[in-house]
Amino acid sequence: MTLFASARQQWLANPRRDLLAGTVVALALIPEAIAFSLIAGVDPAVGLYASFVIAVTIAFVGGRPAMISAATGAMALLMVTLVRDHGLEYLFAASILCGVFQIVIGLMKLGRYIRFVSRSVMTGFVNSLAILIFLAQMPELVGANWQTFALVAAALAIIYGLPRLTRAVPSSLVAIVLLSGFVIWTGLDVRTVGDMGQMPSTLPMFHLPSVPLTWETFVIIAPVSATLAFVGLLESLLTANLLDDLTDTPSDKDRETRGQGIANILSPLFGGMAGCAMIGQSIINVTSGARGRLSTLWAGLFLLFLILVLQDWVARIPMAALVAVMIMVSIGTFDWGSIVKLRSTPFQSSIVMIATTATVVVTHDLSKGVVLGVILSAIFFMRKVGKTIVVEEIETPEDGMLRYRVSGQLFFASAEVFAAAFEHHGSPRRVEIDMTEAHLWDLTGVAAVDKVVFRYRRQSAEVEVIGMNAAGQSLVERVGRHDKNHLPFGLSH
């Protein structure tokens, strides 16, 4: 595919659906951006400007078309202490440094390693975010009047019912427009977007952080920036993986990593805070029919238009309509099949999924849940692979001769099983260990071979290790001890 054809596919494959989906996303972004600003302890304008700048930037430089990036709750929670102790200008500086860290990670091409996150961790990540999205709507419902619940029910009826009649227009957009018109016409006493906070009335202006360029400043912001960079990339790349599956299309994880860094450098330069991909808004975008970069660009541009030009009208949108949209997102995001298949799924996979989900929900910290899931996956994998090493004794007519055939992976998790599998009784004159079907991975594996060989040599036996591949042979030559002993030892293919 030529460069022009690729650009056309990513930008103009279906402009009508992209524009409609981006419109829904922009409407849903406003209350969330305001809420996340309040969480971080900054003015609502900071979150709204960030959402505009990041969305527009990532549309051009991101690696996953149709993914929405903006100010997020996961990032806002990490900013609270810095803003409280040092002020907004230090947050701007920390956001820029966060972007620099992400660009470096992208240039080192580390983003691609997100593929090592197991399916069980991905499922736990998706389920936990679905639960958190749902729980985030509870403040709007707890203690609300009956009219609010009636509006939410009506919006959900439109969202799920309209697609049975037509898919020409996103049902979420129709629900927001109809309920807004109804509330304005009837004057119902329900919470609106305007109750969330004051929206800005001017364009974002270029602004350099007003902080001293000293080592002390770096020491203050670097830990926060590093954490923001890690959490932001983790959420962005996992969201990209999810959209890859939903749309059955690939994405460039290294480009996405660099793109997030560029966006997070530009955002604070125009009065915004650091952000990352938003799973909820991305799901809204994709389920509304978006597949191209135009949807992300339009979401950012229309957001700015809404808050500067139509803010009086936007302020009158009932929160009940947006709550219904987010409830739809949480229901659609949750992997219900993972619950149904719990009994048929391998026990270890279920443990990883449940642990990831529970940790994120309890701590409201995506990174803790995913890191725990990755660690558990690695432990279960190593235990499983560690048991695959097989040492088989081969019968031989020669008296005083022992011959063994080793197959499997020899590394730190299987070294103990390997060493224990050899019989050290009797007084063999000669021992042959055939490793043609085995692979030696690390120093612990080499140490295990050393251990076995020296045990036999202490019985005055001649030991020969044969069949080791080139990688294993190179490792033994560098760090092994038994091949450097004066007693006979052979490495052959």
Side-chain angles (χ1 to χ4, degrees):
M1 184 181 292
T2 65
L3 183 62
F4 176 78
S6 176
R8 189 179 186 282
Q9 176 65 30
Q10 292 191 15
W11 282 95
L12 299 173
N14 197 331
R16 178 177 164 278
R17 282 194 172 275
D18 281 350
L19 291 173
L20 287 172
T23 300
V24 179
V25 169
L27 289 167
L29 270 175
I30 292 174
E32 292 209 356
I34 294 174
F36 298 150
S37 299
L38 298 178
I39 289 173
V42 298
D43 189 83
V46 177
L48 290 166
Y49 286 157
S51 297
F52 158 66
V53 174
I54 293 173
V56 170
T57 303
I58 213 69
F60 292 97
V61 299
R64 169 68 257 179
M67 189 164 78
I68 303 296
S69 294
T72 64
M75 301 285 270
L77 286 169
L78 301 172
M79 303 171 182
V80 176
T81 304
L82 180 65
V83 173
R84 185 190 64 212
D85 296 343
H86 300 282
L88 181 59
E89 295 298 326
Y90 277 82
L91 173 60
F92 291 152
S95 297
I96 292 175
L97 185 58
C98 162
V100 172
F101 285 156
Q102 290 177 329
I103 290 176
V104 171
I105 292 171
L107 292 175
M108 294 172 65
K109 299 186 182 298
L110 300 179
R112 64 187 65 181
Y113 293 108
I114 194 69
R115 66 180 183 271
F116 291 118
V117 176
S118 71
R119 173 62 57 179
S120 299
V121 176
M122 274 293 298
T123 302
F125 160 77
V126 168
N127 289 349
S128 62
L129 285 183
I131 294 170
L132 290 179
I133 290 171
F134 182 82
L135 293 177
Q137 311 315 308
M138 291 303 101
E140 295 297 327
L141 297 176
V142 175
N145 55 28
W146 68 268
Q147 292 95 331
T148 299
F149 288 97
L151 288 175
V152 171
L156 288 172
I158 296 170
I159 289 170
Y160 286 108
L162 186 63
R164 297 177 181 273
L165 302 176
T166 178
R167 293 182 179 270
V169 181
S171 59
S172 301
L173 179 59
V174 174
I176 293 171
V177 172
L178 288 181
L179 263 67
S180 298
F182 179 76
V183 169
I184 293 171
W185 177 57
T186 60
L188 282 179
D189 181 22
V190 293
R191 270 176 61 83
T192 63
V193 170
D195 296 324
M196 295 290 294
Q198 184 66 38
M199 287 184 283
S201 57
T202 60
L203 285 167
M205 304 296 291
F206 183 81
H207 170 75
L208 288 173
S210 180
V211 297
L213 298 178
T214 62
W215 176 252
E216 183 182 358
T217 299
F218 179 79
V219 170
I220 291 171
I221 67 174
V224 178
S225 299
T227 308
L228 288 171
F230 172 73
V231 172
L233 288 183
L234 192 59
E235 185 160 357
S236 298
L237 296 178
L238 289 176
T239 302
N241 262 359
L242 177 61
L243 295 192
D244 290 352
D245 292 342
L246 288 176
T247 62
D248 196 26
T249 55
S251 61
D252 187 335
K253 304 301 188 298
D254 292 320
R255 178 178 175 180
E256 183 62 41
T257 301
R258 296 191 298 271
Q260 290 290 330
I262 294 170
N264 282 329
I265 289 175
L266 291 178
S267 174
L269 292 178
F270 289 91
M273 58 190 190
C276 64
M278 304 181 74
I279 185 170
Q281 306 299 338
S282 298
I283 295 293
I284 291 175
N285 201 38
V286 169
T287 54
S288 297
R291 291 295 182 272
R293 296 180 181 274
L294 182 60
S295 62
T296 308
L297 175 63
W298 177 245
L301 292 175
F302 192 58
L303 170 65
L304 186 65
F305 178 76
L306 288 172
I307 60 179
L308 295 184
V309 180
L310 301 180
Q311 63 170 261
D312 290 338
W313 289 98
V314 170
R316 302 168 77 178
I317 295 175
M319 287 299 299
L322 299 176
V323 167
V325 172
M326 298 312 295
I327 289 176
M328 177 271 292
V329 169
S330 66
I331 293 173
T333 301
F334 196 90
D335 187 353
W336 300 99
S338 64
I339 304 300
V340 176
K341 297 175 183 177
L342 269 178
R343 304 184 75 177
S344 59
T345 303
F347 177 73
Q348 293 93 336
S349 297
S350 297
I351 290 294
V352 170
M353 187 269 287
I354 293 172
T356 302
T357 302
T359 303
V360 174
V361 171
V362 171
T363 64
H364 285 225
D365 190 330
L366 168 69
S367 60
K368 289 179 181 176
V370 173
V371 168
L372 175 63
V374 169
I375 291 173
L376 286 176
S377 296
I379 290 172
F380 288 139
F381 172 76
M382 288 184 293
R383 285 188 62 188
K384 186 175 182 179
V385 174
K387 295 177 181 178
T388 61
I389 194 80
V390 176
V391 179
E392 180 184 5
E393 185 175 350
I394 305 172
E395 292 187 10
T396 174
E398 185 178 341
D399 189 38
M401 169 78 172
L402 288 178
R403 181 174 294 163
Y404 296 96
R405 180 168 54 229
V406 183
S407 58
Q409 311 302 314
L410 181 53
F411 66 119
F412 66 89
S414 59
E416 186 176 343
V417 176
F418 168 82
F422 288 89
E423 177 61 59
H424 297 293
H425 300 299
S427 301
R429 295 192 309 273
R430 188 163 180 267
V431 178
E432 182 181 278
I433 303 173
D434 184 357
M435 299 191 68
T436 304
E437 300 177 11
H439 186 82
L440 189 59
W441 286 98
D442 61 10
L443 302 183
T444 309
V446 174
V449 176
D450 283 344
K451 182 178 180 180
V452 170
V453 171
F454 284 130
R455 277 182 178 176
Y456 281 122
R457 286 180 176 172
R458 281 195 292 270
Q459 300 175 41
S460 300
E462 177 186 335
V463 185
E464 184 178 16
V465 179
I466 65 172
M468 194 173 290
N469 60 28
Q473 179 176 337
S474 174
L475 192 58
V476 168
E477 288 174 350
R478 283 187 285 122
V479 299
R481 292 186 297 120
H482 58 272
D483 62 318
K484 300 172 180 62
N485 192 282
H486 68 279
L487 294 175
F489 171 75
L491 288 173
S492 60
H493 297 280

